[in-house]
Amino acid sequence: MNRFRVCLVAMAVLIVVTGCTRPDRAATADATIDPMVSVNTLLPAPEEYARLRIGTAEAPIPPWTKFLRGVKIVLDPGHGGDAHRRGFKRGPTGVREAEMNLRVAQYLRDLLVHVGAEVRLTRETDVDLSLAARAGVANEWGADIFISLHHNAVDNKPEVNYTSVWYHADVDHHPANLDLARYLAQGLYDGFPMPSFTDVPLKSDQLMYPAGFGVLSNARVTAALTESSFFSNPAEEQRLRDPAYNLREAHTLFLALARYAAAGLPRVQLLEPSAGVVSANGGPVRLRLDDGLRGRKSWGFARQMILSDSIVVRLDGRRIPHAFQNDGYLLEVELPAGLEPGTHTLDVRFQNMNKNSVLNPRIELRVEPPAGLARGRGGRSGG
Ligand SMILES: [Zn+2]
């Protein structure tokens, strides 16, 4: 049942019946059927709406979507649990952003799972979650990709309706975030076009807040936030109620993710020391690079598909030299002597031939305190 539509009809009837002669009762009735606090504001759709359309003209599955197999993706439908906040994140007639975000996430999940991706949603129902908890789902699972799904709004500018995709901090912070954001933005431009556009659709979250969006700043995996269109635009608000339109958006994001995966998702793996414990005197660290392409054993796979000049290694933010060999894709770095006890971060960046950057470039290394000090500390903490 569409409670929202029923509410509107009921309100219209009440206004006609009560007119202006009984303002007290009319005001009381209005307060109970306020569309700005209503729930279930989308057009109803069966739970299997998207699944039933997979492989049809509404949701075709191109063969290259197979490269999503095994990719771990967390989808975060923005907001939720906020219907009681009058007018909060609602369009001109009361359609809620939290509901459209959730439906798009569920349809996108159905498409991704169909081709073998591993998918988790941060929420399945109309509940609120902290921004850190949303990112935490991706961090704790060790996801490859985290996407927070939103729709946009602006006060007093009903004509505005364009697509933007947001990354955290500055462009050097985590280059794979830009890959993800770029594929999503270009995909949306193709498959979910808006009447207007912003000339540079990739935006830093620091344009909105000095610390960025909490949902992105807390993510330790490749992450982006989509604002696919504006629900403050009256025509767009009504389109966003429609399950067919929600599926079109989800399918567009699905193809964008498939193109990203098809271009190869580069990774880096620590070989030695395998446990990540290094000496305070420094020494060699050996890593294996994966361009996300060679493993497919396609024609010419033995040729180098990593851009040599793109390889940069930093220890705690400082560049250190490296040696790379195409045979085996081995990378060797020599850690300097004099490392302080504690955790050190090795940041290993490179791009494959499609300019995709490493999904997770950070490797944690640990320097143990000198043996005598470790025993002393152990003794104290045990007392
Ligand atoms: Zn939002």
Side-chain angles (χ1 to χ4, degrees):
M1 187 180 75
N2 182 350
R3 288 163 66 180
F4 175 70
R5 180 165 279 177
V6 170
C7 283
L8 275 184
V9 171
M11 181 188 267
V13 168
L14 272 170
I15 289 168
V16 169
V17 169
T18 58
C20 297
T21 56
R22 292 185 296 179
D24 292 345
R25 287 185 62 180
T28 306
D30 282 350
T32 61
I33 55 169
D34 185 345
M36 288 298 162
V37 294
S38 62
V39 294
N40 299 331
T41 63
L42 307 185
L43 295 174
E47 198 183 307
E48 65 276 19
Y49 183 90
R51 287 196 294 276
L52 287 172
R53 286 160 176 79
I54 289 175
T56 71
E58 288 173 79
I61 306 292
W64 40 269
T65 57
K66 72 176 183 178
F67 297 114
L68 284 164
R69 173 171 294 279
V71 180
K72 295 167 73 172
I73 301 170
V74 170
L75 303 175
D76 171 46
H79 314 293
D82 45 32
H84 60 286
R85 298 172 64 181
R86 189 177 188 285
F88 179 76
K89 302 285 180 189
R90 287 176 186 269
T93 69
V95 178
R96 285 177 71 209
E97 188 200 341
E99 294 176 20
M100 60 184 81
N101 294 342
L102 178 58
R103 185 182 270 177
V104 171
Q106 288 169 330
Y107 289 179
L108 177 53
R109 186 241 323 261
D110 290 345
L111 291 159
L112 290 167
V113 166
H114 179 79
V115 296
E118 297 180 45
V119 184
R120 292 186 186 176
L121 264 57
T122 56
R123 66 179 179 94
E124 297 276 357
T125 56
D126 192 4
V127 293
D128 192 18
L129 284 171
S130 75
L131 299 175
R134 293 168 190 266
V137 173
N139 295 339
E140 282 149 34
W141 188 31
D144 297 312
I145 291 168
F146 174 70
I147 307 174
S148 192
L149 297 159
H150 287 253
H151 295 79
N152 217 335
V154 60
D155 289 338
N156 305 318
K157 290 183 182 170
E159 72 283 2
V160 168
N161 188 17
Y162 61 80
T163 295
S164 55
V165 181
W166 299 71
Y167 60 89
H168 178 57
D170 58 63
V171 291
D172 292 323
H173 171 70
H174 186 120
N177 289 348
L178 303 178
D179 299 332
L180 173 62
R182 189 176 65 249
Y183 278 99
L184 293 172
Q186 290 182 347
L188 287 164
Y189 271 24
D190 282 345
F192 196 70
M194 291 301 119
S196 55
F197 63 96
T198 174
D199 286 0
V200 181
L202 269 55
K203 303 290 186 194
S204 166
D205 59 358
Q206 290 180 335
L207 293 172
M208 298 297 289
Y209 307 103
F213 296 148
V215 74
L216 294 183
S217 64
N218 281 287
R220 295 195 302 272
V221 307
T222 294
L225 182 147
T226 55
E227 299 276 9
S228 299
S229 65
F230 277 70
F231 60 85
S232 51
N233 175 280
E236 184 68 11
E237 181 203 27
Q238 295 311 310
R239 283 191 288 270
L240 284 164
R241 299 180 66 212
D242 183 348
Y245 194 68
N246 303 139
L247 177 58
R248 189 195 305 175
E249 179 182 344
H251 185 258
T252 295
L253 295 169
F254 165 69
L255 292 185
L257 286 168
R259 284 194 193 96
Y260 180 28
L265 301 176
R267 299 165 198 270
V268 58
Q269 177 196 3
L270 178 66
L271 296 180
E272 293 171 26
S274 58
V277 179
V278 296
S279 160
N281 298 322
V285 171
R286 297 176 80 235
L287 306 127
R288 174 165 286 131
L289 309 187
D290 173 5
D291 55 24
L293 297 167
R294 183 176 264 192
R296 297 175 190 172
K297 305 236 186 286
S298 187
W299 185 30
F301 72 91
R303 297 182 66 80
Q304 182 172 321
M305 291 186 276
I306 288 173
L307 302 179
S308 300
D309 286 347
S310 72
I311 303 173
V312 173
V313 183
R314 288 185 180 82
L315 178 68
D316 300 328
R318 280 207 327 271
R319 277 178 85 144
I320 58 173
H322 67 264
F324 173 67
Q325 53 186 89
N326 175 47
D327 188 28
Y329 272 11
L330 295 175
L331 188 77
E332 284 198 17
V333 296
E334 187 76 17
L335 300 184
L339 294 172
E340 294 288 323
T343 301
H344 296 264
T345 303
L346 202 61
D347 185 283
V348 183
R349 299 185 177 189
F350 65 91
Q351 292 179 327
N352 71 9
M353 62 189 282
N354 294 317
K355 308 283 182 75
N356 275 1
S357 290
V358 187
L359 279 183
N360 186 359
R362 281 178 287 277
I363 289 175
E364 288 207 340
L365 300 173
R366 207 169 64 256
V367 174
E368 299 287 9
L373 186 56
R375 272 200 301 278
R377 280 183 181 168
R380 276 199 299 278
S381 68

